[in-house]
């Protein structure tokens, strides 16, 4: 029994101690909870700040990446532009070189027209080799015997149309001065009825229009020598050029004659409507293109001046005299007669 009582007392003391400890330990638990709340708020704020900073860093990184991409694009575009410019510059340089080379080649080249169809390279070499070393000779204005054959093949194999009567050629010298010397052969009779026309192939050689005459209404089968003989009476003929079709070789109905002197032009104009191979030839002066372009404006100018003069005359004081306007007078009403009343009128009577 005594032991049981002791255990009960010990258990009662433990319970009382536990209660007292629980009573004593309650306030520190609340403080911890408050501290935890404060810490959680601060941590939230810190986490929000950290998130905001991370977002700002990410945005800056994106901006930097975009700027770098833009710079790369600009650099690539600049490179492509430079490549294109360099390519275009290279092509422009190549074109300039080709032009210069063509111009120099044209200055060394001589055009020989009105050659017979039977003319060969050896004949031309024997004619022009005395002026200098010849680089090449090529024939042009060939009419092949068949449509399927090209002009080159026709020139090599001498397969020329039977109606073709003449051809042209280009003789290229190694030096320009030799080509200038070869111009002396202009007008020489290389065969019976074939006076060759020798001229420089360069475009700089300007045709003298003052010494030239335009011919119209020519026969399609006409030859250069026929025109030369017709106008030889006017003066020395330097060259005859009949414009022809490249495919058929037939004339287009017009041409030009170049004389040595301008006096021959006046005599050639008198042969207007003269008969040549059954046709009345139309002979006219060769007009400059520059003057022809300016002529329409000049032709309009005198008409405008005449119209202005007419207007001035119509508006002059001599042709039209105006009448002075008379100002309107004020209309005056007629004065009314004084009426006398009847009573007064009877008394006066």
């Amino acid at each position: 029994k005594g032991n049981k009582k002791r255990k009960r007392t010990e258990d009662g003391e433990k319970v009382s101690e536990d209660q007292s400890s629980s009573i004593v330990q309650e306030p520190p638990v609340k403080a911890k909870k408050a501290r935890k709340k404060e810490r959680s708020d601060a941590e939230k704020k810190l986490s929000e700040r950290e998130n905001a900073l991370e977002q700002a860093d990410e945005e800056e990184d994106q901006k930097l990446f975009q700027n770098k991409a833009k710079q790369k694009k600009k650099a690539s575009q600049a490179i492509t532009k430079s490549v294109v410019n360099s390519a275009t510059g290279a092509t422009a340089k190549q074109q300039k070189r080709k032009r210069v080379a063509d111009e120099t080649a044209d200055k060394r080249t001589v055009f020989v027209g009105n050659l017979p169809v039977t003319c060969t390279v050896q004949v031309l070499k024997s004619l022009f080799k005395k002026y200098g070393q010849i680089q090449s000779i090529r024939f042009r204005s060939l009419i092949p015997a068949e449509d399927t054959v090209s002009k080159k093949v026709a020139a090599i194999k001498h397969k020329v149309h039977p109606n073709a009567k003449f051809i042209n050629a280009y003789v290229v010298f190694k030096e320009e001065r030799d080509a200038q010397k070869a111009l002396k052969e202009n007008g020489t009779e290389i065969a019976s009825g074939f006076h060759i026309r020798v001229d420089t192939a360069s475009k700089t050689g300007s045709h003298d229009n003052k010494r030239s005459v335009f011919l119209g209404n020519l026969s399609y089968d006409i030859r250069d020598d026929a025109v030369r003989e017709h106008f030889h009476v006017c003066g020395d003929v330097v060259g005859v050029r009949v414009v022809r079709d490249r495919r058929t070789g037939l004339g287009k109905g017009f041409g030009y004659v170049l004389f040595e002197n301008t006096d021959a032009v006046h005599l050639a104009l008198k042969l207007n409507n003269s008969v040549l191979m059954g046709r009345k030839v139309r002979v006219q002066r060769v007009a400059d293109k520059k003057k022809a372009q300016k002529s329409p404006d000049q032709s309009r100018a005198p008409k405008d001046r005449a119209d202005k003069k007419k207007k001035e005359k119509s508006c002059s004081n001599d042709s039209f005299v105006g009448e002075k306007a008379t100002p309107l007078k004020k209309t005056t009403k007629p004065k009314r007669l004084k009426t006398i009343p009847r009573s007064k009128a009877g008394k006066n009577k």
Side-chain angles (χ1 to χ4, degrees):
K1 291 181 183 178
N3 292 327
K4 287 181 182 179
K5 289 180 181 178
R6 287 176 186 174
K7 284 181 181 179
R8 287 176 184 174
T9 52
E10 286 176 0
D11 293 331
E13 288 175 358
K14 284 181 181 179
V15 170
S16 62
E17 285 176 0
D18 292 331
Q19 289 176 359
S20 63
S21 61
S22 62
I23 292 162
V24 174
Q25 287 176 358
E26 280 180 0
V29 170
K30 290 181 181 179
K32 284 180 182 180
K33 287 182 181 179
R35 287 175 186 174
K36 282 182 181 179
K37 287 181 181 180
E38 289 177 358
R39 286 178 184 176
S40 63
D41 293 335
E43 286 174 357
K44 283 181 181 179
K45 289 179 181 179
L46 288 171
S47 63
E48 287 176 357
R49 288 178 184 177
E50 287 176 357
N51 292 327
L53 291 170
E54 286 177 359
Q55 288 178 359
D57 293 334
E58 287 177 358
E59 288 177 358
E60 286 180 358
D61 292 334
Q62 287 179 357
K63 286 180 181 179
L64 290 170
F65 182 74
Q66 289 175 359
N67 291 327
K68 285 180 181 179
K70 287 180 181 179
Q71 288 177 0
K72 285 181 180 179
K73 284 182 181 179
K74 288 179 180 179
S76 62
Q77 288 175 0
I79 290 164
T80 52
K81 284 180 182 179
S82 63
V83 170
V84 170
N85 292 327
S86 63
T88 52
T91 53
K93 286 179 181 179
Q94 288 176 0
Q95 288 176 359
K96 283 181 181 179
R97 287 175 185 173
K98 285 181 181 179
R99 286 175 187 173
V100 172
D102 293 337
E103 287 176 359
T104 54
D106 289 340
K107 288 179 181 178
R108 294 185 289 106
T109 306
V110 169
F111 171 80
V112 185
N114 198 28
L115 289 169
V117 178
T118 56
C119 184
T120 59
V121 176
Q122 294 177 356
V123 174
L124 288 176
K125 276 185 179 180
S126 63
L127 181 64
F128 290 102
K129 68 181 181 181
K130 58 187 175 183
Y131 297 107
Q133 194 172 359
I134 295 170
Q135 188 175 353
S136 65
I137 294 171
R138 57 183 187 273
F139 290 99
R140 291 289 182 271
S141 304
L142 284 167
I143 303 168
E146 298 176 359
D147 294 335
T148 56
V149 180
S150 63
K151 291 184 178 181
K152 277 188 178 181
V153 175
I156 294 165
K157 294 183 177 181
H158 296 284
K159 290 184 177 181
V160 187
H161 199 274
N163 294 329
K165 298 175 182 178
F166 69 94
I167 55 174
N168 301 324
Y170 287 96
V171 181
V172 183
F173 290 90
K174 284 193 173 181
E175 293 184 3
E176 185 179 347
R177 60 186 180 181
D178 297 336
Q180 294 296 325
K181 291 176 185 178
L183 298 176
K184 294 177 183 179
E185 294 294 331
N186 185 29
T188 58
E189 191 174 2
I190 195 170
S192 60
F194 288 94
H195 291 80
I196 61 173
R197 180 165 55 94
V198 184
D199 193 7
T200 55
S202 62
K203 295 179 181 178
T204 55
S206 60
H207 187 76
D208 192 359
N209 293 325
K210 292 181 180 179
R211 296 186 290 115
S212 302
V213 165
F214 171 80
L215 306 178
N217 197 27
L218 293 173
S219 176
Y220 298 114
D221 297 331
I222 198 166
R223 295 175 62 182
D224 294 353
D225 287 334
V227 179
R228 184 184 288 272
E229 289 176 2
H230 188 73
F231 288 94
H232 185 68
V233 183
C234 304
D236 295 332
V237 178
V238 176
V240 176
R241 180 177 171 240
V242 178
V243 180
R244 302 179 184 276
D245 190 9
R246 291 181 180 180
R247 292 181 180 178
T248 60
L250 296 172
K252 291 185 177 181
F254 63 96
Y256 301 91
V257 179
L258 178 64
F259 296 98
E260 273 193 13
N261 300 318
T262 56
D263 297 333
V265 175
H266 298 287
L267 298 173
L269 293 172
K270 293 180 181 179
L271 294 177
N272 188 23
N273 293 326
S274 61
V275 179
L276 177 61
M277 292 183 68
R279 285 173 174 264
K280 289 184 178 181
V281 183
R282 188 172 70 254
V283 185
Q284 295 176 351
R285 289 182 180 273
V286 179
D288 293 333
K289 290 182 180 180
K290 293 179 181 179
K291 290 182 180 179
Q293 291 175 358
K294 292 180 181 179
S295 61
D297 298 333
Q298 292 177 357
S299 62
R300 289 176 185 176
K303 290 182 182 179
D304 296 336
R305 289 175 185 173
D307 294 336
K308 285 181 181 179
K309 285 181 181 178
K310 286 180 182 178
K311 287 180 182 179
E312 286 176 358
K313 285 182 180 179
S314 63
C315 295
S316 61
N317 293 324
D318 297 331
S319 62
F320 177 78
V321 178
E323 294 181 357
K324 291 181 179 180
T326 55
L328 293 173
K329 293 181 180 180
K330 292 181 180 180
T331 55
T332 55
K333 294 181 180 180
K335 293 181 179 180
R336 291 182 181 180
L337 296 171
K338 292 181 178 181
T339 56
I340 301 167
R342 288 181 181 180
S343 59
K344 290 182 178 180
K347 288 180 181 179
N348 291 328
K349 287 179 181 180

